[in-house]
Amino acid sequence: MKKLQKTLAAMLAGVMLLTACGGTTDGGDTSGGTDTTGSVGSVQLGTLATNEGEPIEGGVLKVGLASSSPFKGIFNIALYEDAFDYALMQYTMFGGFHLDEDFKIQDGGPLSLVVDPEAKTSTVTINEKYTWNDGTPVTAMDFAYYYYLIGHKDYPGVRYDDDFKNVVGMEEYHAGTTDTISGVEIVDDRTIVIHFKEVGPSQLWGAGIPPEVMPYHQIKDIEIAKLVESDAVRKNPLSAGPYYISDIVEGEKVVFKANEYYWQGVPNIPEVHIELVNPDTVVEAVKTGKYDIILQAFPADLYDQIKDFNNIQILGRPQQAYSYLGFKLGKWDSEKGEVVTDLTMKMGDVNLRKAMGHALDMQAMSDNLYNGLRGPANSLIPPVFTNFHTDNPDAILYDQEKAIKILDDAGYKDVDGDGFREKPDGTPLQINVATMAGGELGDSLALFYIQSWQDIGLNAVLTTGRPIEFNAFYDKVEADDPDIDVFLGAWSTGSNPEPSGLYGRSAQFNFSRFASEELDQILADIVSHQSFDAEFRNDAYKRFESYMIEHAPVIPIQYRTQVFVINNRIKEYDFSYPKAGEPMVTWASLQLLADQPIAHQG
């Protein structure tokens, strides 16, 4: 324990972005209220920034995206896999469905949804004002083409999962036995009816429904296998949101211009510039007023350095996300489109996995590194989903003595006296761990994990000998690199706590590659018609949590407060989660009070 305390005390300021490789942004199954203020740690932050003054006309909204890695630049809802790409599109190009305070799809947006449980259908209606930035109206085919893209045999992405296999005719189309999807019915230019094999409450939150439209008239003639590298995705994708891309500096900066055809009216600010800002310089950038907004989430470890600046307001809300400890327990079978679990792999012993979870003092890490803006996680359902998150008494939390006892009882002994435990059969055990790079803190966090496991006698070493660059990290994890036994990652759940998209048998995001018939049934129960009954649904979520704790294919380790930094040049910014009956707040409604962002005085 003394080694661990010294390691934490020595950690330096920097940043580590434990962001999802893409996560899921499709609707999901929630039915409870949300906490719109505060944090998951000890520091409480507000959600509304306001400033006095008369707004100017024109101007450029300047946005910094804190990252030490370039963005991939895949600007398509069905093809992106990088959280940074999603961040670039979220407030500029998206906004099809509007949500209520429970994250359920509500009326009032450019896309509306009506679910008929008895008919097993979801009907989507397109607002007649919804228009692409080239002046072409959004049509039913712009919505329906998502199914034809992700279900195609040449689709290179990761979103063809159980939610979409539930669409009638989808599996036949994927197998190539038909050129059409019988369950995707285009009624007219603005109406689409989706027929499902089974309908549950998750459809109310958009399960099996594309989260955004895509410009069919721009991409229809591009081969699906080549679409991800096309100009229509990489350079000049059309947008039906408030802004569209006008220029890109590859991996570094994107220039957006206002969509004059935006369905809610031309945005107040004519241009948005989003550029990468290195975490090592982001504090100085905030101080000198280089940006109006630091996008996605300001690094929590740097909060203490900016909290007293007088040119900004710092907003926060509990994040729909969690960091986790993942174990490689199988492979992805691309032909079958499902995970193949192999518990004879190195991390196949659940005792070893649980011991590694109990060895991590996440409270100490949070207190020492994240300024009270993070906290230990005890569930794969983040606490922002108040009706589904539970404080399970069996959660795998820090207990070093328990970790040591589990290993002792399971037969992991130091046979040769080198300080490290061998396997129960006496053979050597080396655990290869993959972590993400992210400045000096990324290096220090990697040392924290390795030291924590070495303190309980496990010979844990870093894959490649060092933290791995963000994009390369997820490339290796997704490819089931044989040099990775354990990995540290994170998921952004979006509005959907329903877990099949991350842990289902056919989910490519199931990076641990763990599946079982019992887990299949639990996940099926969560999305079943029977789950329209709240008691049954809540019980299914509890069974999911208990099962994942018992088998520990992944272990949640940390919850986070999402921190947004807003320069005082912005008239008003509402960072709260959706409110029922109110319009979605987008960057289209923002106003500027000066020609340039304001610098700290003092």
Side-chain angles (χ1 to χ4, degrees), residues 2-12 364 368-369 444:
K2 289 182 179 179
K3 287 183 181 178
L4 177 59
Q5 290 173 336
K6 290 179 180 178
T7 300
L8 285 168
M11 289 182 179
L12 303 174
N368 282 273
L369 297 177
S444 298

Side-chain angles (χ1 to χ4, degrees), residues 255-299:
V255 175
F256 295 87
K257 290 188 177 180
N259 176 8
E260 64 178 297
Y261 301 102
Y262 184 51
W263 75 285
Q264 286 187 308
V266 181
N268 294 323
I269 304 172
E271 286 193 27
V272 176
H273 295 184
I274 305 179
E275 65 181 22
L276 292 189
V277 53
N278 193 294
D280 293 336
T281 62
V282 69
V283 170
E284 184 65 18
V286 170
K287 182 178 182 180
T288 58
K290 187 173 182 179
Y291 301 110
D292 296 296
I293 297 171
I294 301 299
L295 183 58
Q296 197 175 31
F298 188 84

Side-chain angles (χ1 to χ4, degrees), residues 340-359:
V340 178
T341 301
D342 179 7
L343 294 182
T344 66
M345 293 181 68
K346 188 184 296 184
M347 304 311 299
D349 184 354
V350 68
N351 294 299
L352 178 59
R353 302 197 296 272
K354 287 185 175 181
M356 292 184 73
H358 284 302

Side-chain angles (χ1 to χ4, degrees), residues 212-395:
E212 301 287 341
V213 293
M214 61 178 62
Y216 176 68
H217 66 290
Q218 184 187 30
I219 64 177
K220 64 180 180 178
D221 295 325
I222 303 173
E223 292 181 38
I224 287 177
K226 298 178 179 179
L227 184 59
V228 73
E229 297 301 331
S230 70
D231 286 355
V233 169
R234 295 282 190 168
K235 294 183 178 180
N236 58 358
L238 293 176
S239 168
Y243 294 92
Y244 67 93
I245 293 174
S246 67
D247 191 30
I248 299 174
V249 179
E250 186 174 351
E252 298 179 11
K253 181 178 180 179
V254 182
V255 175
F256 295 87
K257 290 188 177 180
N259 176 8
E260 64 178 297
Y261 301 102
Y262 184 51
W263 75 285
Q264 286 187 308
V266 181
N268 294 323
I269 304 172
E271 286 193 27
V272 176
H273 295 184
I274 305 179
E275 65 181 22
L276 292 189
V277 53
N278 193 294
D280 293 336
T281 62
V282 69
V283 170
E284 184 65 18
V286 170
K287 182 178 182 180
T288 58
K290 187 173 182 179
Y291 301 110
D292 296 296
I293 297 171
I294 301 299
L295 183 58
Q296 197 175 31
F298 188 84
D301 56 290
L302 303 180
Y303 167 78
D304 196 51
Q305 299 182 44
I306 67 166
K307 63 183 178 65
D308 295 324
F309 289 169
N310 54 28
N311 64 325
I312 60 170
Q313 296 183 52
I314 304 175
L315 308 179
R317 65 188 183 190
Q319 196 164 357
Q320 299 165 318
Y322 56 89
S323 304
Y324 67 94
L325 172 64
F327 304 95
K328 280 296 183 181
L329 300 174
K331 302 289 184 181
W332 175 256
D333 187 325
S334 58
E335 291 187 4
K336 293 183 178 179
E338 63 181 38
V339 303
V340 178
T341 301
D342 179 7
L343 294 182
T344 66
M345 293 181 68
K346 188 184 296 184
M347 304 311 299
D349 184 354
V350 68
N351 294 299
L352 178 59
R353 302 197 296 272
K354 287 185 175 181
M356 292 184 73
H358 284 302
L360 298 179
D361 189 349
M362 300 308 298
Q363 186 64 59
M365 175 189 280
S366 298
D367 290 345
N368 282 273
L369 297 177
Y370 295 114
N371 298 294
L373 293 168
R374 296 193 179 184
N378 59 1
S379 169
L380 294 172
I381 309 296
V384 68
F385 300 106
T386 55
N387 275 355
F388 295 134
H389 172 83
T390 59
D391 295 323
N392 194 305
D394 297 321

